[in-house]
PDB file of all heavy atoms in Angstrom:
ATOM      1  N   LEU A 560     193.162 141.061 136.166  1.00 90.00           N
ATOM      2  CA  LEU A 560     193.503 141.053 134.757  1.00 90.00           C
ATOM      3  C   LEU A 560     193.263 139.655 134.202  1.00 90.00           C
ATOM      4  O   LEU A 560     193.499 138.667 134.904  1.00 90.00           O
ATOM      5  CB  LEU A 560     194.926 141.560 134.462  1.00 90.00           C
ATOM      6  CG  LEU A 560     195.127 143.055 134.736  1.00 90.00           C
ATOM      7  CD1 LEU A 560     196.553 143.413 134.309  1.00 90.00           C
ATOM      8  CD2 LEU A 560     194.075 143.866 133.864  1.00 90.00           C
ATOM      9  N   ASN A 561     192.838 139.531 132.979  1.00 90.00           N
ATOM     10  CA  ASN A 561     192.557 138.249 132.281  1.00 90.00           C
ATOM     11  C   ASN A 561     191.321 137.604 132.750  1.00 90.00           C
ATOM     12  O   ASN A 561     191.020 136.421 132.309  1.00 90.00           O
ATOM     13  CB  ASN A 561     193.731 137.315 132.355  1.00 90.00           C
ATOM     14  CG  ASN A 561     194.938 137.845 131.598  1.00 90.00           C
ATOM     15  OD1 ASN A 561     194.722 138.610 130.644  1.00 90.00           O
ATOM     16  ND2 ASN A 561     196.123 137.537 132.024  1.00 90.00           N
ATOM     17  N   GLU A 562     190.636 138.135 133.619  1.00 91.00           N
ATOM     18  CA  GLU A 562     189.381 137.610 134.118  1.00 91.00           C
ATOM     19  C   GLU A 562     188.231 137.980 133.094  1.00 91.00           C
ATOM     20  O   GLU A 562     188.308 139.018 132.476  1.00 91.00           O
ATOM     21  CB  GLU A 562     189.096 138.221 135.466  1.00 91.00           C
ATOM     22  CG  GLU A 562     187.841 137.773 136.119  1.00 91.00           C
ATOM     23  CD  GLU A 562     187.650 138.538 137.436  1.00 91.00           C
ATOM     24  OE1 GLU A 562     188.651 138.789 138.151  1.00 91.00           O
ATOM     25  OE2 GLU A 562     186.516 138.897 137.788  1.00 91.00           O
ATOM     26  N   VAL A 602     187.119 140.359 128.344  1.00 92.00           N
ATOM     27  CA  VAL A 602     188.279 139.939 129.185  1.00 92.00           C
ATOM     28  C   VAL A 602     188.933 141.191 129.753  1.00 92.00           C
ATOM     29  O   VAL A 602     189.158 142.162 128.990  1.00 92.00           O
ATOM     30  CB  VAL A 602     189.243 139.134 128.329  1.00 92.00           C
ATOM     31  CG1 VAL A 602     190.487 138.787 129.147  1.00 92.00           C
ATOM     32  CG2 VAL A 602     188.576 137.861 127.837  1.00 92.00           C
ATOM     33  N   SER A 637     195.258 137.282 140.232  1.00 45.00           N
ATOM     34  CA  SER A 637     195.196 135.865 140.083  1.00 45.00           C
ATOM     35  C   SER A 637     195.263 135.589 138.575  1.00 45.00           C
ATOM     36  O   SER A 637     194.547 136.149 137.796  1.00 45.00           O
ATOM     37  CB  SER A 637     193.836 135.354 140.640  1.00 45.00           C
ATOM     38  OG  SER A 637     192.803 135.967 139.978  1.00 45.00           O
ATOM     39  N   SER A 638     196.160 134.706 138.202  1.00 43.00           N
ATOM     40  CA  SER A 638     196.281 134.472 136.714  1.00 43.00           C
ATOM     41  C   SER A 638     196.013 133.011 136.443  1.00 43.00           C
ATOM     42  O   SER A 638     196.893 132.198 136.462  1.00 43.00           O
ATOM     43  CB  SER A 638     197.684 134.879 136.259  1.00 43.00           C
ATOM     44  OG  SER A 638     198.646 134.362 137.123  1.00 43.00           O
ATOM     45  N   PRO A 639     194.812 132.700 136.221  1.00 42.00           N
ATOM     46  CA  PRO A 639     194.405 131.363 135.917  1.00 42.00           C
ATOM     47  C   PRO A 639     194.536 131.130 134.409  1.00 42.00           C
ATOM     48  O   PRO A 639     193.804 131.728 133.656  1.00 42.00           O
ATOM     49  CB  PRO A 639     192.923 131.333 136.330  1.00 42.00           C
ATOM     50  CG  PRO A 639     192.488 132.807 136.150  1.00 42.00           C
ATOM     51  CD  PRO A 639     193.680 133.651 136.058  1.00 42.00           C
ATOM     52  N   GLY A 640     195.363 130.353 134.026  1.00 38.00           N
ATOM     53  CA  GLY A 640     195.585 130.015 132.588  1.00 38.00           C
ATOM     54  C   GLY A 640     195.573 131.283 131.802  1.00 38.00           C
ATOM     55  O   GLY A 640     195.331 132.346 132.279  1.00 38.00           O
ATOM     56  N   SER A 641     195.676 131.173 130.559  1.00 37.00           N
ATOM     57  CA  SER A 641     195.652 132.432 129.735  1.00 37.00           C
ATOM     58  C   SER A 641     194.271 132.616 129.221  1.00 37.00           C
ATOM     59  O   SER A 641     193.605 131.657 128.776  1.00 37.00           O
ATOM     60  CB  SER A 641     196.678 132.312 128.582  1.00 37.00           C
ATOM     61  OG  SER A 641     196.334 131.202 127.836  1.00 37.00           O
ATOM     62  N   ALA A 642     193.860 133.819 129.330  1.00 36.00           N
ATOM     63  CA  ALA A 642     192.526 134.157 128.793  1.00 36.00           C
ATOM     64  C   ALA A 642     192.568 134.100 127.281  1.00 36.00           C
ATOM     65  O   ALA A 642     193.593 134.451 126.695  1.00 36.00           O
ATOM     66  CB  ALA A 642     192.163 135.484 129.296  1.00 36.00           C
ATOM     67  N   PRO A 643     191.476 133.744 126.683  1.00 37.00           N
ATOM     68  CA  PRO A 643     191.540 133.713 125.216  1.00 37.00           C
ATOM     69  C   PRO A 643     191.654 135.096 124.644  1.00 37.00           C
ATOM     70  O   PRO A 643     190.877 135.979 124.988  1.00 37.00           O
ATOM     71  CB  PRO A 643     190.215 133.049 124.849  1.00 37.00           C
ATOM     72  CG  PRO A 643     189.279 133.342 126.055  1.00 37.00           C
ATOM     73  CD  PRO A 643     190.181 133.481 127.250  1.00 37.00           C
ATOM     74  N   THR A 667     187.293 129.739 128.722  1.00 24.00           N
ATOM     75  CA  THR A 667     188.084 128.925 129.658  1.00 24.00           C
ATOM     76  C   THR A 667     188.529 129.691 130.845  1.00 24.00           C
ATOM     77  O   THR A 667     188.938 129.150 131.842  1.00 24.00           O
ATOM     78  CB  THR A 667     189.272 128.311 128.893  1.00 24.00           C
ATOM     79  OG1 THR A 667     189.831 129.350 128.152  1.00 24.00           O
ATOM     80  CG2 THR A 667     188.849 127.184 127.979  1.00 24.00           C
ATOM     81  N   ALA A 668     188.538 130.960 130.748  1.00 26.00           N
ATOM     82  CA  ALA A 668     189.127 131.720 131.820  1.00 26.00           C
ATOM     83  C   ALA A 668     188.103 131.787 133.026  1.00 26.00           C
ATOM     84  O   ALA A 668     187.003 131.367 132.960  1.00 26.00           O
ATOM     85  CB  ALA A 668     189.297 133.174 131.334  1.00 26.00           C
ATOM     86  N   LEU A 669     188.684 132.258 134.027  1.00 25.00           N
ATOM     87  CA  LEU A 669     187.870 132.417 135.236  1.00 25.00           C
ATOM     88  C   LEU A 669     186.622 133.271 134.963  1.00 25.00           C
ATOM     89  O   LEU A 669     186.785 134.277 134.275  1.00 25.00           O
ATOM     90  CB  LEU A 669     188.760 133.084 136.302  1.00 25.00           C
ATOM     91  CG  LEU A 669     188.540 132.733 137.772  1.00 25.00           C
ATOM     92  CD1 LEU A 669     189.704 133.232 138.499  1.00 25.00           C
ATOM     93  CD2 LEU A 669     187.254 133.177 138.341  1.00 25.00           C
TER      94      LEU A 669
END
Side-chain angles (χ1 to χ4, degrees):
L560 289 184
N561 294 332
E562 178 184 325
V602 176
S637 58
S638 47
S641 58
T667 46
L669 214 168

